[in-house]
Amino acid sequence: MYQISNKIYCPKDIMQLELPTKLLPNPYYEYPFLVIKDFFSKENLEQLNEILRVDDDVEQAKVRKKDINIINRKIDKSIRETKIHKLPKEYINLYKKQFIFFQKKIEDYFCLALTTSTKPQVLEYTKGSFYKAHSDDSNMILKDNKLVGFTTVAHQRRVTTVLFLSDDYTGGELVFNYLYDENKQVVKLRVNSGDMVVFLSNPVFTHEVLEVTSGNRFTLVQWHDAIIN
Ligand SMILES: O=C(O)CCC(=O)C(=O)O
Ligand SMILES: [Fe+2]
């Protein structure tokens, strides 16, 4: 195993792959990802949950597919079973304001400068929903079912933010498939609503959302381009 931070390790075969966008955080940190506590207050979340629970303007989430060298987005329920809501209007400015407040912390942590960001999306996972292992900037290259590398599909995308919006669900842990702790256990996160998990979008941070077994898991995700310092 290769040690990527004080408490976290990554299998050598992953680190040895040709990864065009491999950027790693400071190895002297405890963890290679950042958890920002209380990005949204409990009051904000309560109201936002009420709005989302009756919002029926939803879209079925798609995944990237490569057909003869053209990347398309398609629904594939064997990879991803999630619904997408728009962030309610009343929350757009509050989200932006909070993001600006925490932006420097994110930039300092990963030694980069954020430039443009995608529109934030609210994801809804109900019982049976999941999102299989993927990297946010690349597609996996498999040969005879074995991972042999990654093709970058979102070249400028560096940082992923996931803000947790609800607590009343079971299952649905966020797993980092190639990150292991000191006890050789794969990293599985369950954070409180209002907290934001920030990580790099490259293949080292390949992640998965385990199946939700009850309740509603809402997250707000956004991807950010950046200039590396
Ligand atoms: O909902 C989550 O926790 C993560 C979602 C995700 O990985 C994605 O949209 O790329
Ligand atoms: Fe993702």
Side-chain angles (χ1 to χ4, degrees):
M1 287 276 202
Y2 175 93
Q3 186 168 15
I4 67 169
S5 72
N6 261 342
K7 297 194 182 234
I8 301 294
Y9 301 79
C10 179
K12 279 220 170 78
D13 53 341
I14 299 294
M15 297 304 292
Q16 280 160 358
L17 290 175
E18 184 77 30
L19 301 176
T21 54
K22 182 167 70 187
L23 166 74
L24 293 172
N26 186 329
Y28 300 104
Y29 288 159
E30 300 286 63
Y31 297 99
F33 41 77
L34 173 66
V35 180
I36 297 175
K37 292 269 172 210
D38 301 318
F39 183 98
F40 268 179
S41 70
K42 291 284 172 258
E43 297 78 60
N44 293 148
L45 287 167
E46 236 170 71
Q47 203 197 10
L48 179 54
N49 269 270
E50 274 174 29
I51 299 173
L52 289 173
R53 274 155 219 254
V54 294
D55 174 34
D56 54 10
D57 181 10
V58 290
E59 186 194 323
Q60 191 70 37
K62 298 183 173 146
V63 294
R64 284 188 304 259
K65 290 263 167 168
K66 200 166 174 184
D67 291 326
I68 335 167
N69 286 327
I70 297 171
I71 293 166
N72 282 315
R73 299 187 66 82
K74 293 202 174 132
I75 294 174
D76 182 342
K77 290 195 176 178
S78 67
I79 299 178
R80 187 176 189 191
E81 165 72 82
T82 327
K83 287 186 202 125
I84 303 180
H85 296 252
K86 295 190 186 76
L87 178 61
K89 286 194 296 300
E90 311 84 303
Y91 283 84
I92 294 174
N93 283 339
L94 178 70
Y95 178 77
K96 279 191 189 152
K97 188 176 131 232
Q98 287 303 91
F99 196 88
I100 290 167
F101 182 78
F102 288 112
Q103 182 165 344
K104 184 151 184 346
K105 191 172 174 149
I106 297 172
E107 292 180 334
D108 287 350
Y109 198 87
F110 296 104
C111 287
L112 41 72
L114 298 180
T115 54
T116 51
S117 305
T118 56
K119 213 177 195 182
Q121 296 181 339
V122 176
L123 304 181
E124 177 182 2
Y125 302 73
T126 49
K127 185 173 167 15
S129 301
F130 58 84
Y131 192 173
K132 293 273 186 223
H134 65 279
S135 140
D136 287 341
D137 77 353
S138 305
N139 282 356
M140 290 179 180
I141 307 170
L142 301 172
K143 254 200 193 128
D144 304 325
N145 264 333
K146 193 179 169 293
L147 176 70
V148 291
F150 289 88
T151 354
T152 314
V153 290
H155 291 266
Q156 309 303 323
R157 183 181 288 182
R158 299 291 180 192
V159 175
T160 303
T161 51
V162 182
L163 174 60
F164 286 77
L165 302 176
S166 63
D167 286 313
D168 63 332
Y169 63 90
T170 55
E173 294 91 346
L174 178 63
V175 175
F176 286 95
N177 306 77
Y178 305 143
L179 302 184
Y180 291 83
D181 66 15
E182 295 145 307
N183 303 317
K184 299 195 165 65
Q185 300 298 308
V186 72
V187 173
K188 238 186 226 184
L189 298 185
R190 159 105 207 195
V191 302
N192 294 328
S193 65
D195 296 351
M196 178 183 260
V197 180
V198 189
F199 53 94
L200 295 170
S201 310
N202 71 59
V204 174
F205 299 88
T206 292
H207 52 281
E208 150 168 32
V209 179
L210 297 186
E211 184 177 332
V212 169
T213 46
S214 70
N216 287 73
R217 179 190 192 271
F218 284 102
T219 49
L220 195 155
V221 295
Q222 198 180 20
W223 298 281
H224 313 268
D225 294 0
I227 297 167
I228 299 166
N229 291 335

